Amino acid sequence: MAVFTWSDDYNSGFEKVDEQHKALFEMINDFAAQGGEGLSNSKISAFLFELNSAATDHFLTEEEIMLSHVYPLLEHHKDAHRNIKEALIEVRSEISRKAVKNPFMSVMEICTGWLNDHILQEDVYFFNYCRNRKYNLGRHFVGRKCEILAMDNEFLTAGKISRVDMDNVVINNLSRAQINVDLNDIVKVSSLSDKQESQTFIAKVFFSQAGVIKLFNATIIQTENNRTAFRVPVKIEAVLTLSNDRFPVLIRDISQAGLRIETTADFEVGGSGKVVFTLQDRVLEIPCEVLRSIKRVGATNTFALKFPPLGRIEAETVTAFVLNKQAQARRKKI
């Protein structure tokens, strides 16, 4: 049974890219089927050499296509490619030095991040950019709350979209504090509709002051229905900070999109802050927004918290936890 299954979610619209992605799926599935943890270090090292060669050709293909389409996130995407190649080289070096306890699992973690996270996020950003750049953003974005993030997913500020004109966007900065951006900087804006559908677009900054940010060349790169995210039931104690006040909360489920929490406190929907909790022995400190109030029973209130696009470490930890639980649930159904 294949570890990684190709689906329409991976389709790019570029025949050569899809062919290379499918070849990578087949190569990694063949490796996983060879015996798993029983594989010798020499065979794993040989596979890594072959995979690194395939990655070099594939990344060059993608970057040439992105260059031809004047993709504004090309340098950001090149950095992501370099990180994957460096991880492959590093784990091969560690295996040769016998400095890794489980070589097979170390390789599979890199492959999982590449096929499940990089393709479905970074690659899909580009695919959607090509599909959507001929369309205007739409007046239905007006009034939406949003988060503005740097391209490394650093949270910059929360805002509310006050105007959309073709591909120009005006956002009221809710914090009314100056944010650290320069003219022509590219930012990500994650917005939320009334139907809990989050849409992320990229745009360039052409005006920024404490109360307002103006953007141009806005193009949607991601659309996601947060209510369809796979949720893992948990019972994790956490601390939620809103407006410099700290509240103890109990996390009742977690997904790649956010959390469901219980608390004796009462929060205003739309409030932004951060939540601190431990997951898989790692302390995470993640920005979040109070998305909606779910129910109130006695002194206990239940709220949904939404994540912005996460930083690399946070995203890897949450994604690995959720995907592992999702795989366990699927196996029970087989």
Side-chain angles (χ1 to χ4, degrees), residues 109-174:
E109 285 177 8
I110 297 172
C111 293
T112 298
W114 183 359
L115 300 189
N116 281 345
D117 299 338
H118 177 79
I119 295 178
L120 287 179
Q121 181 167 312
E122 298 293 345
D123 284 358
V124 167
Y125 283 173
F126 171 63
F127 307 154
N128 287 339
Y129 168 81
C130 292
R131 296 180 185 118
N132 295 324
R133 61 182 173 170
K134 60 185 176 182
Y135 301 111
N136 297 327
L137 215 57
R139 299 293 174 85
H140 57 281
F141 276 83
V142 175
R144 290 188 185 183
K145 290 184 177 179
C146 64
E147 291 171 330
I148 301 178
L149 305 112
M151 287 316 305
D152 62 358
N153 290 328
E154 176 192 358
F155 176 80
L156 299 176
T157 190
K160 187 174 183 180
I161 299 173
S162 59
R163 182 177 176 182
V164 174
D165 183 14
M166 304 292 283
D167 63 354
N168 296 333
V169 182
V170 178
I171 299 174
N172 292 337
N173 181 4
L174 297 183

Side-chain angles (χ1 to χ4, degrees), residues 230 232 280 318-329 331:
F230 182 82
V232 179
Q280 293 186 320
V318 173
T319 297
F321 177 78
V322 173
L323 290 179
N324 182 53
K325 296 297 184 181
Q326 188 174 21
Q328 292 177 10
R331 284 195 291 269

Side-chain angles (χ1 to χ4, degrees), residues 263-326:
T263 177
T264 57
D266 196 8
F267 306 134
E268 181 181 350
V269 173
S272 296
K274 64 181 179 181
V275 59
V276 179
F277 61 99
T278 301
L279 189 66
Q280 293 186 320
D281 297 323
R282 174 171 281 165
V283 178
L284 302 178
E285 183 174 321
I286 301 179
C288 62
E289 177 186 339
V290 181
L291 185 62
R292 63 184 181 276
S293 173
I294 298 175
K295 65 180 179 180
R296 289 175 168 82
V297 179
T300 302
N301 303 319
T302 304
F303 293 92
L305 305 183
K306 178 174 99 59
F307 295 150
L310 302 180
R312 182 181 62 82
I313 293 176
E314 292 81 5
E316 287 178 354
T317 303
V318 173
T319 297
F321 177 78
V322 173
L323 290 179
N324 182 53
K325 296 297 184 181
Q326 188 174 21

Side-chain angles (χ1 to χ4, degrees), residues 177-241:
Q178 189 69 39
I179 66 171
N180 186 27
V181 293
D182 296 321
L183 297 186
N184 289 316
D185 275 359
I186 299 172
V187 295
K188 278 197 256 187
V189 180
S190 179
S191 70
L192 185 70
S193 75
D194 292 338
K195 297 179 180 180
Q196 309 306 327
E197 179 183 74
S198 65
Q199 290 182 292
T200 300
F201 60 87
I202 54 173
K204 287 187 177 182
V205 177
F206 78 85
F207 180 84
S208 176
Q209 64 180 32
V212 66
I213 301 155
K214 298 181 180 180
L215 309 171
F216 70 104
N217 284 356
T219 304
I220 295 174
I221 57 173
Q222 186 177 47
T223 299
E224 184 177 12
N225 186 336
N226 291 328
R227 285 180 173 168
T228 65
F230 182 82
R231 299 189 172 275
V232 179
V234 295
K235 190 175 181 180
I236 301 174
E237 293 182 351
V239 174
L240 175 64
T241 301

